[in-house]
Amino acid sequence: MMHTEKQGGSDWRTLMEELPKIYYDVVFYLVIKNCSPKETAKMLNISEENVQVRFTQARQLLRQHAEA
């Protein structure tokens, strides 16, 4: 089931598209493609730790944009 909730006047897709590419890519693989952190790291050629850091930062940015 697709999640189409609107938050702060924007839906999640619009918010995601506003993310910088390094964060968008991590969210895309983890959330949209349902890849594991290990798979995501391999796809993006970064460490698993970096995947977690970028995902945390992306979530913070999404929250900030949703609240604006």
Side-chain angles (χ1 to χ4, degrees):
M1 180 159 106
M2 290 295 269
H3 213 331
T4 57
E5 282 184 27
K6 290 194 173 206
Q7 294 187 4
S10 299
D11 69 28
W12 65 270
R13 289 181 197 136
T14 302
L15 293 174
M16 251 191 77
E17 289 171 2
E18 293 175 3
L19 286 173
K21 184 165 175 35
I22 64 169
Y23 301 130
Y24 176 91
D25 290 345
V26 168
V27 173
F28 176 79
Y29 284 111
L30 290 175
V31 178
I32 306 300
K33 290 292 194 176
N34 201 29
C35 294
S36 69
K38 184 175 184 174
E39 293 167 324
T40 300
K42 185 174 181 179
M43 296 292 281
L44 298 176
N45 198 30
I46 60 176
S47 68
E48 285 184 61
E49 181 178 332
N50 205 340
V51 167
Q52 294 300 331
V53 168
R54 289 183 186 185
F55 186 63
T56 299
Q57 291 170 335
R59 287 177 39 198
Q60 290 172 346
L61 286 172
L62 288 169
R63 281 191 195 113
Q64 289 171 1
H65 286 302
E67 292 171 357

